[in-house]
């Protein structure tokens, strides 16, 4: 079912774009189907011979990692929350958001992806797999909290939640790796079996478990990380109802419940969780009583309840854990309902300030009934589910009777009194009539908007009296937990247990809580007189500010704006590190061989000459060309040693690199400036020689110290027998080492995004404007709005301006957009003739690369060179004609194809990225073998083409626009400075133009900054 969520996330964007907010109704079918699936598994899991449902896949077999999904009694209960509440919230979204809500399609896709991550989290039975889903919820919650991108508060809240939960997640990852290293397994169910047998103890295990708890505590917003949850209330109400009431914040509680049976007896477990849980419960309830914003009141109430749940989940014994599970379900139902009701109140009244709300009972009676019942359940009033769960907590803690249970009971009672008080304050603030405040106007409530809170309310009401019927579903998992005290595990959930101490404690809790509410004004004065204590949000802000100042201090002393300084530091550190390693080396099995063939001397001589020439070059373009020669010399070397694939890739990369350098050099001074820093040419030569010698020594040592056969020895056989290809390089990239390639293409996607982000400051999705002309060719449309400065200056001379209709015929459709002096008919003809042939050749390299030199990377570079030729021949309009697609679309499509190939390997095989091959004899073509890895190679091809297009759009077309704007500014300044008119003398005109041209042609010699400003 996890895949269904992600599949729905893919189609959510176009679906909502097409149907608008009504698309949420269709999206709600996905979590609803998952709910039906969970309910359908009841006989398999809870039957007399029931057992967990387990699915596994070979994730990384070489590392012994498996993707294991396990639906047992605990994950089944959590899946009901993720799917059931999720379906109701999706229905709520269909009418909560206005039809013109910006970014609604994006929100829908992210929301569905988050639901998939949360579902995967609760069914994952492998630590690293759980961690992937864990961090997935973090990332998607960041996007959901920051949905309102134009609001600074939303952006700050999203970033705060991301930083806090990610920091905890990193600590948890370290703990997981430690635990796996010590125990030899990452399967959670196996770890619990080992722990129950007392096999896993010791300081390393304790450290690992405490680090995992750091992640759980940060995710579930416990002290000292609790401040991020109220801040996250800047998110839309559906996000608050789902992520921060029913799903995401429950992830930490779920992890504690999952690990408690095995590790609750470890040193530090109970002390840590009891302390943090009880303090969080008290602080959250205390802060909730101070709030006037209904949503913030519920947020701090959620913090308090999370502390309550953590306290109960930490025990790991059958009865107390059963009470914790009942409270977990009850909390999800009443808190999600309350958040949804607040969203409706906010929509109708335009405010959430309880001091400004009046007459809510009359304005929206159905919402008032739902919210009141939910608040009553939160307070623990009978006959609701919240009462059943609260009484179960009191009863099981009393029955346990040990020191930890008594402390927990006292703390929980105090926190629950505050819960009753702020619950009553919520109902009073939202729905009562207040003197001096205008009543809210009544409007009919749409059934599609209120159906979700109504359903949650019905469940809260029904599950209270029916607690006895549901006891088996809670007890099925707790019955498997270790029993410490005799009689533990005998408690049963029920609405009525008779007159017992727990009932008296519940009555005392309710009475004191209501008493606090009735003296709320006096109590508020007491709160205002007491010190507020530590403001953890303020501490967080100060910590972030301190880190920013530290970063600024370090940056100001290391990032000095001097490229020679940066390079020198890097090289000196490199030489020092390598030098220490060489000195400490005690194995010097150097097998020195001067050359393989006499041709090596020729290549070495070329490399030496161009290296020296590059240091002597005075102009940037000369330095780039000379450096490029060294790259082509390496192409020759690869060809001589029998590596045609490397030679092909090297020649393409070197060519592309030179093109990119040339595009960048257009905005830089032509000449290389003279150094005025400390690193004189002599020092540079010394540093450069030291680096060269160090690397030479490293190569000599590394080549002689190998004691085992390299893994690449078997690649030839693996490539031919398993990869069905003769090109070892390509088969390695798309099959044997495909995970490495996936990481590399991810870097390419990030690089393309980064390049565009630096150039397109306000948004990377600007489209190139295509060239359009009238059929008679007498007028050009879509041309640049201003002429280059060379043309404008040409107007000052006696030569008349060339008319557009008299220009020569273009071989390229956008060739006429260029100034005549910038056009090359030879280049246009060449581009027209070779473009399609080069594209076909790139496709040949793509599909032939499995057996011959080529592949997706080489083919993509060749296609990119074809686009380069079109751009150089016809400019940015010609680039728009050649590539009528966006780079982001190419990058995204390629990445999706690559990832789906991996997922497909698990579907049609048993391992992620497992390749399947179809072989047969085809007429004319002969014997062919087609593998699914080809789809991965196609993804690589699309990513490389998208990256090349991104480079051409940003460093090419966009820089053209920047340059034209600068030239336009220069032209306007010229006109203003010399006030050109019909009476301007020819001699003065000539002098003015000469002066400007001289300045333009020479300003970059000594003053690059001035050139940049002009």
């Amino acid at each position: 079912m996890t895949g269904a969520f992600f599949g729905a996330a893919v189609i959510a964007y176009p679906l909502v774009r097409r149907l608008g907010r009504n698309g949420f109704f269709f999206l709600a079918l996905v979590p609803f189907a998952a709910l039906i699936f969970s309910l359908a598994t009841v006989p398999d899991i809870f039957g007399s011979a029931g057992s967990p449902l387990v699915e596994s896949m070979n994730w990384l077999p070489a590392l012994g990692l498996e993707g294991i999904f396990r639906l047992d009694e605990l994950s089944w209960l959590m899946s009901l929350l993720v799917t059931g509440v999720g379906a109701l919230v999706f229905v709520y979204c269909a009418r909560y958001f206005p039809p013109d809500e910006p970014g609604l399609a994006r929100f829908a896709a992210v929301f569905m992806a988050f639901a998939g991550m949360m579902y995967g989290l609760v069914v994952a039975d492998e630590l690293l797999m759980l961690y992937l889903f864990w961090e997935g919820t973090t990332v998607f919650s960041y996007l959901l909290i920051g949905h309102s991108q134009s609001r600074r508060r939303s952006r700050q809240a999203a970033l705060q939640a991301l930083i806090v939960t990610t920091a905890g997640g990193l600590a948890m990852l370290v703990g997981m790796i430690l635990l796996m290293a010590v125990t030899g397994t990452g399967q959670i169910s196996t770890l619990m079996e080992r722990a129950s047998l007392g096999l896993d103890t010791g300081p390393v295990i304790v450290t690992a478990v405490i680090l995992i708890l750091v992640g759980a505590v940060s995710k579930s917003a416990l002290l000292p990380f609790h401040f991020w949850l109220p801040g996250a209330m800047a998110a839309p109400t559906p996000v608050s109802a789902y992520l921060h009431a029913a799903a995401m914040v429950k992830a930490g509680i779920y992890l504690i419940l999952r690990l408690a049976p095995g590790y609750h007896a470890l040193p530090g477990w109970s002390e840590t969780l009891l302390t943090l849980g009880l303090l969080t419960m008290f602080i959250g309830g205390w802060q909730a009583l101070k709030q006037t914003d209904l949503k913030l009141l519920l947020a701090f109430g959620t913090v308090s309840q999370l502390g309550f749940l953590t306290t109960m989940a930490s025990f790991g014994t059958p009865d107390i854990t059963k009470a914790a599970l009942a409270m977990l379900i009850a909390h999800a139902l009443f808190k999600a309902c309350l958040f949804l009701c607040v969203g409706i109140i906010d929509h109708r009244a335009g405010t959430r300030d309880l001091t400004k709300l009046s007459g809510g009972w009359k304005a929206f009676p159905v919402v008032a009934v739902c919210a009141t019942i939910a608040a009553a359940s939160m307070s623990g009033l009978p006959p609701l589910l919240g009462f059943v769960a609260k009484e179960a907590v009191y009863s099981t803690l009393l029955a346990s009777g040990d020191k930890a249970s008594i402390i927990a009971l006292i703390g929980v009672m105090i926190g629950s009194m505050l819960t009753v008080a702020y619950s009553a304050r919520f109902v009073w603030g939202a729905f009562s009539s207040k003197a001096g405040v205008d009543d809210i106007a009544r409007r009919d409530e749409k059934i599609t908007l209120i159906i979700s809170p109504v359903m949650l309310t019905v469940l809260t009401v029904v599950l209270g009296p029916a607690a006895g019927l549901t006891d088996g579903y809670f007890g099925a998992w707790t019955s498997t937990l270790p029993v410490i005290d005799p009689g533990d595990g005998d408690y049963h959930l029920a609405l009525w247990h008779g007159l017992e101490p727990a009932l008296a404690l519940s009555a005392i809790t309710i009475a004191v809580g209501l008493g606090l509410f009735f003296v709320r004004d006096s109590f508020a004065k007491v709160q205002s007189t007491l010190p507020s204590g530590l403001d953890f949000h303020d501490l967080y802000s100060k910590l972030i500010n301190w880190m920013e100042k530290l970063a600024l201090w370090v940056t100001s002393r290391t990032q000095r704006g001097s490229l020679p300084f940066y390079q020198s530091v890097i090289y000196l550190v490199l030489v020092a590190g390598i030098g220490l390693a060489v000195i400490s080396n005690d194995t010097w099995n150097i097998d020195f061989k001067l050359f393989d063939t006499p041709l090596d001397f020729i290549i070495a001589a070329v490399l030496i000459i161009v290296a020296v020439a590059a240091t002597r070059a005075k102009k940037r373009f000369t330095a780039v060309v000379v450096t490029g020669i060294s790259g082509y010399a390496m192409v020759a070397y690869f060809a001589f040693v029998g590596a045609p694939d490397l030679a092909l890739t090297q020649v393409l990369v070197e060519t592309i690199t030179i093109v990119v350098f040339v595009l960048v050099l257009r905005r830089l001074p032509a000449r290389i400036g003279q150094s005025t820093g400390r690193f004189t040419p002599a020092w540079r030569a010394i540093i450069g020689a030291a680096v060269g010698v160090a690397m030479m020594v490293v190569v000599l040592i590394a080549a002689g110290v190998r004691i085992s056969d390299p893994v690449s020895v078997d690649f030839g056989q693996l490539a031919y027998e398993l990869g069905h290809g003769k090109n070892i390089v390509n088969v390695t990239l798309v099959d044997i080492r495909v995970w490495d390639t996936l990481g590399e293409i991810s870097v390419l996607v990030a690089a393309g995004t980064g390049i565009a982000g630096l150039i397109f400051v306000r948004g990377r999705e600007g489209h190139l404007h295509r060239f359009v002309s009238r059929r008679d060719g007498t007028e050009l449309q879509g041309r640049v709005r201003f002429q280059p400065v060379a043309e404008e200056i040409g107007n000052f001379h006696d030569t008349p301006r060339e008319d557009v209709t008299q220009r020569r015929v273009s071989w390229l459709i956008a060739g006429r957009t260029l100034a005549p002096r910038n056009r090359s008919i030879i280049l246009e003809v060449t581009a027209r003739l070779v473009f399609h042939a080069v594209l076909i050749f790139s496709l040949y390299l793509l599909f032939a690369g499995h057996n011959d030199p080529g592949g997706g990377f080489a083919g993509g570079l060749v296609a990119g060179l074809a686009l380069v030729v079109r751009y150089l021949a016809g400019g940015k309009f010609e680039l728009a004609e050649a590539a009528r697609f966006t780079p982001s679309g190419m990058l995204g499509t390629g990445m999706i194809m690559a990832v789906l190939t991996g997922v497909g390997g698990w579907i049609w095989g048993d391992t992620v990225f497992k390749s399947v091959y179809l072989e047969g004899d085809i007429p004319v073509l002969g014997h062919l073998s087609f593998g699914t890895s080809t789809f991965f190679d196609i993804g690589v091809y699309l990513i490389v083409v998208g990256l090349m297009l991104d480079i051409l759009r940003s460093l090419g077309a966009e820089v053209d626009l920047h340059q034209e704007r600068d030239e336009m500014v220069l032209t306007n300044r010229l006109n203003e400075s010399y006030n050109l008119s019909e009476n301007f003398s020819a001699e003065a005109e000539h002098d003015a133009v000469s002066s400007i041209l001289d300045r333009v042609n020479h300003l970059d010699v000594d003053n690059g900054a001035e050139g940049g400003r002009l």
Side-chain angles (χ1 to χ4, degrees):
M1 288 305 301
T2 306
F5 282 95
F6 295 124
V10 173
I11 66 172
Y13 186 88
L15 181 68
V16 176
R17 284 287 298 271
R18 177 73 175 176
L19 302 178
R21 61 180 185 174
N22 291 329
F24 282 99
F25 288 127
F26 293 94
L27 294 177
L29 297 176
V30 177
F32 182 73
L35 174 65
I36 297 301
F37 170 79
S38 295
L39 295 176
T41 61
V42 168
D44 298 322
I45 298 175
F46 296 94
S48 57
S51 61
L53 301 180
V54 180
E55 289 186 6
S56 62
M57 64 176 181
N58 290 325
W59 179 17
L60 292 175
L63 299 179
L65 295 179
E66 289 186 294
I68 304 174
F69 299 96
R70 176 187 174 96
L71 190 64
D72 60 8
E73 297 86 353
L74 178 59
S75 56
W76 181 84
L77 286 172
M78 289 296 299
S79 72
L80 297 184
L81 294 184
V82 174
T83 58
V85 177
L88 293 175
V89 172
F90 269 97
V91 172
Y92 180 85
C93 287
R95 288 298 175 265
Y96 172 80
F97 291 106
D100 57 347
E101 173 74 13
L104 190 58
R106 171 182 170 274
F107 174 88
V110 174
F111 204 6
M112 182 60 70
F114 173 86
M117 286 292 177
M118 193 63 207
Y119 187 85
L121 189 153
V122 300
V123 298
D125 193 37
E126 203 278 332
L127 286 177
L128 291 185
M129 181 67 71
L130 182 144
Y131 177 76
L132 288 178
F133 288 115
W134 185 282
E135 290 304 296
T137 60
T138 297
V139 173
F140 287 118
S141 68
Y142 163 75
L143 297 174
L144 292 171
I145 295 171
H147 169 66
S148 302
Q149 301 177 18
S150 60
R151 296 173 56 193
R152 181 180 180 184
R153 181 186 171 194
S154 295
R155 299 195 303 270
Q156 290 179 336
L159 183 61
Q160 178 177 269
L162 179 69
I163 291 174
V164 173
T165 54
T166 300
L170 291 175
M172 184 176 74
L173 176 62
V174 175
M176 288 179 171
I177 294 174
L178 281 176
L179 195 60
M180 293 171 63
V182 174
T183 61
T185 181
Q187 188 170 355
I188 300 174
S189 56
T190 302
L191 287 172
M192 292 301 98
E193 291 175 4
R194 291 172 55 88
S196 63
L197 298 175
L199 298 179
D200 298 331
T201 57
V204 178
I205 294 292
V206 173
T207 302
V209 172
I210 293 298
L211 287 173
I212 293 174
L213 287 183
V214 172
V217 166
S218 65
K219 182 75 80 173
S220 289
L222 266 66
L223 193 76
F225 308 106
H226 64 286
F227 59 88
W228 74 260
L229 181 57
M233 291 303 110
T237 297
V239 175
S240 301
Y242 189 53
L243 277 69
H244 307 139
M248 176 180 166
V249 293
K250 295 295 195 307
I253 308 298
Y254 165 74
L255 187 59
I256 294 172
L257 285 168
R258 179 63 74 183
L259 300 181
Y263 298 133
H264 71 276
L266 288 179
W269 174 281
S270 297
E271 296 84 352
T272 300
L273 292 180
L274 277 178
T275 302
L276 295 181
L278 294 177
L279 285 177
T280 303
M281 186 178 186
F282 177 78
I283 291 175
W286 183 268
Q287 291 294 330
L289 288 173
K290 292 183 176 183
Q291 306 306 314
T292 58
D293 186 311
L294 292 178
K295 202 171 180 183
L296 278 179
L297 187 153
L298 293 180
F300 280 104
T302 300
V303 170
S304 178
Q305 295 289 304
L306 290 172
F308 185 7
L309 290 170
T310 300
T311 300
M312 300 302 298
S314 65
F315 282 89
T317 56
D319 284 345
I320 298 179
T321 301
K322 181 184 287 187
L325 290 175
M327 181 56 68
L328 182 76
I329 300 298
H331 175 266
L333 295 177
F334 64 65
K335 193 54 67 74
C337 176
L338 288 171
F339 272 115
L340 297 182
C341 290
V342 167
I344 299 174
I345 294 171
D346 192 13
H347 266 217
R348 299 290 171 84
T351 182
R352 298 194 302 261
D353 191 335
L354 58 82
T355 63
K356 299 178 181 179
L357 293 170
S358 180
W361 275 103
K362 298 177 181 178
F364 20 74
V366 176
V367 174
V369 170
C370 292
T372 302
I373 293 175
S377 180
M378 184 164 59
S379 301
L381 296 179
L384 306 173
L385 182 59
F387 166 78
V388 174
K390 187 74 66 68
E391 190 170 67
V393 169
Y394 289 164
S395 295
T396 54
L397 289 177
L398 281 171
S400 180
D402 57 9
K403 182 179 178 181
S405 300
I406 298 303
I407 294 174
L409 177 61
I410 296 172
V412 164
M413 279 195 65
I414 296 173
S416 297
M417 293 172 186
L418 297 176
T419 301
V420 175
Y422 67 69
S423 299
R425 189 165 184 265
F426 173 88
V427 175
W428 166 81
F431 306 111
S432 67
S433 297
K434 303 179 183 67
V437 181
D438 294 335
D439 287 349
I440 304 169
R442 177 169 182 172
R443 293 193 310 177
D444 293 335
E445 300 165 345
K446 296 182 179 179
I447 185 63
T448 50
L449 185 63
I450 64 173
I451 185 63
S452 296
V454 168
M455 290 296 296
L456 293 169
T457 303
V458 170
L459 289 173
T460 298
V461 173
V462 171
L463 291 179
L469 300 177
T470 61
D471 179 77
Y473 297 103
F474 295 101
W477 186 68
T478 58
S479 62
T480 64
L481 304 183
V483 177
I484 299 177
D485 298 324
D488 194 4
D490 295 337
Y491 184 83
H492 296 280
L493 296 175
L495 180 62
W496 177 251
H497 285 278
L499 298 176
E500 58 176 358
L503 184 61
L505 294 180
S506 295
I508 294 172
T509 300
I510 295 170
V512 174
L514 291 177
L516 289 176
F517 166 70
F518 287 117
V519 296
R520 56 185 177 275
D521 294 334
S522 301
F523 189 75
K525 293 179 181 179
V526 174
Q527 282 186 306
S528 63
T529 58
L530 294 176
S532 58
L534 288 176
D535 187 342
F536 288 92
H537 184 274
D538 183 59
L539 289 178
Y540 164 82
S541 300
K542 289 180 179 179
L543 178 61
I544 295 298
N545 291 334
W546 178 82
M547 294 177 64
E548 290 177 351
K549 291 179 180 178
L550 177 63
L552 181 62
W553 182 85
V554 174
T555 302
S556 65
R557 282 155 179 79
T558 57
Q559 304 296 313
R560 308 167 65 103
S562 171
L563 182 59
F565 173 79
Y566 301 151
Q567 289 181 310
S568 299
V569 171
I570 293 172
Y571 293 150
L572 289 173
V573 172
L574 175 67
V575 171
I578 291 176
L580 291 175
V582 169
I583 293 173
S584 61
N585 176 57
D586 56 358
T587 303
W588 292 77
N589 186 23
I590 297 178
D591 184 14
F592 184 76
K593 187 177 182 181
L594 185 60
F595 63 90
D596 290 321
T597 66
L599 294 174
D600 292 350
F601 285 107
I602 299 177
I603 296 174
V606 172
L607 290 173
I608 293 172
I609 292 173
V610 297
V612 174
T615 63
R616 306 295 298 172
K618 301 299 182 182
K619 292 189 175 182
R620 300 179 190 274
F621 182 76
T622 304
V624 169
V625 173
V626 171
T627 306
I629 295 175
S630 65
Y632 290 117
M634 292 304 300
V635 173
Y637 175 75
F638 290 143
F640 292 157
V641 298
D645 232 330
L646 292 178
L648 175 63
T649 303
Q650 177 68 23
V651 71
L652 293 173
V653 169
E654 197 62 45
T655 304
I656 293 296
T657 302
I658 292 176
V659 171
V660 172
F661 268 116
V662 171
L663 292 176
V664 173
L665 290 181
R666 296 182 302 163
R667 301 292 283 173
L668 294 176
R671 300 182 67 85
I672 299 176
Q674 297 297 321
S675 174
T676 59
R678 301 176 181 177
F679 295 97
T680 62
W683 274 110
R684 296 181 186 181
I686 294 173
I687 295 173
V691 173
V693 172
M695 295 308 299
M696 181 181 67
V697 172
V698 168
V699 171
L700 289 174
I701 295 175
V705 298
R706 184 185 295 277
I707 60 176
S708 302
D709 292 334
V711 67
S712 57
V713 170
D714 299 324
F715 275 21
Q717 181 180 359
L718 291 173
Y720 187 74
E721 295 181 359
L722 300 182
H724 295 243
K726 300 177 182 179
N727 184 347
I728 301 176
V729 175
N730 184 258
V731 175
T732 299
L733 293 176
V734 302
D735 204 324
I736 301 175
R737 299 295 296 272
V738 65
W739 281 99
D740 291 347
T741 307
L742 181 65
E744 291 163 1
I745 62 177
S746 300
V747 172
L748 284 181
V749 173
T753 304
I755 291 171
L758 290 172
I759 303 299
F760 300 98
V761 179
R762 296 184 179 276
R764 75 183 304 275
E765 288 306 320
H767 294 280
L768 291 171
H769 295 290
R770 292 179 56 199
F771 167 77
V772 182
S773 64
R774 290 184 179 179
R775 292 184 178 181
D776 58 6
T778 58
E779 182 178 348
L780 297 178
Q781 301 174 3
R783 297 185 58 190
V784 186
R785 290 180 295 176
F786 42 81
Q787 297 294 331
V789 67
E791 292 188 64
E792 294 294 335
I793 294 176
N795 288 337
F796 299 144
H797 299 289
D798 295 333
T799 304
R801 185 181 181 87
E802 183 182 17
D803 187 79
V804 171
T805 58
Q806 297 175 356
R807 292 183 179 181
R808 55 194 174 193
V809 176
S810 296
W811 279 71
L812 297 177
I813 188 170
R816 287 173 290 174
T817 62
L818 298 176
R821 62 186 299 169
N822 293 332
R823 290 180 62 189
S824 170
I825 191 64
I826 296 177
L827 186 56
E828 289 185 18
V829 172
T830 302
R832 175 69 176 272
L833 294 178
V834 305
F835 177 73
H836 298 92
V838 172
L839 286 183
I840 293 175
F841 179 62
S842 74
L843 294 176
Y844 165 79
L845 291 176
L846 167 63
F847 291 104
H850 212 59
N851 294 290
D852 298 311
F857 188 76
L861 290 177
V862 170
L865 285 174
L867 295 175
V868 169
V869 172
R870 288 284 291 268
Y871 167 71
L872 294 178
K876 59 181 177 294
F877 287 107
E878 189 60 37
L879 179 62
E881 293 294 330
R884 303 180 186 179
F885 41 80
T886 62
S888 58
M890 296 286 288
L891 293 170
T893 302
M895 198 67 197
I896 290 174
M897 285 194 66
V899 172
L900 289 181
T901 304
V903 176
W906 171 55
I907 294 175
W908 55 62
D910 58 353
T911 306
V912 177
F913 282 116
K914 176 73 173 180
S915 297
V916 175
Y917 293 89
L918 302 176
E919 295 188 79
D921 294 323
I922 306 297
V924 180
L925 297 178
H927 184 76
L928 291 180
S929 175
F930 181 84
T932 54
S933 59
T934 304
F935 294 110
F936 183 88
D937 220 8
I938 294 174
V940 174
Y941 177 89
L942 295 176
I943 288 174
V944 174
V945 175
L947 177 64
M948 288 300 305
L949 183 57
D950 231 347
I951 292 174
L952 290 175
R953 287 174 71 251
S954 55
L955 299 181
E958 185 67 12
V959 172
D960 287 344
L961 292 176
H962 292 179
Q963 186 170 355
E964 288 166 356
R965 293 189 186 103
D966 292 346
E967 291 171 347
M968 189 64 178
V969 172
L970 181 61
T971 302
N972 293 335
R973 290 182 178 177
L974 177 66
N975 292 332
E976 295 173 359
S977 299
Y978 293 96
N979 194 19
L980 296 180
S981 64
E982 295 181 357
N983 298 325
F984 198 68
S985 66
E987 183 179 357
E989 177 183 335
H990 183 272
D991 292 341
V993 172
S994 298
S995 175
I996 291 296
L997 286 176
D998 181 71
R999 189 179 183 189
V1000 170
N1001 291 330
H1002 297 88
L1003 54 83
D1004 61 353
V1005 175
D1006 300 315
N1007 194 344
E1010 177 67 17
R1013 286 194 295 271
L1014 287 174

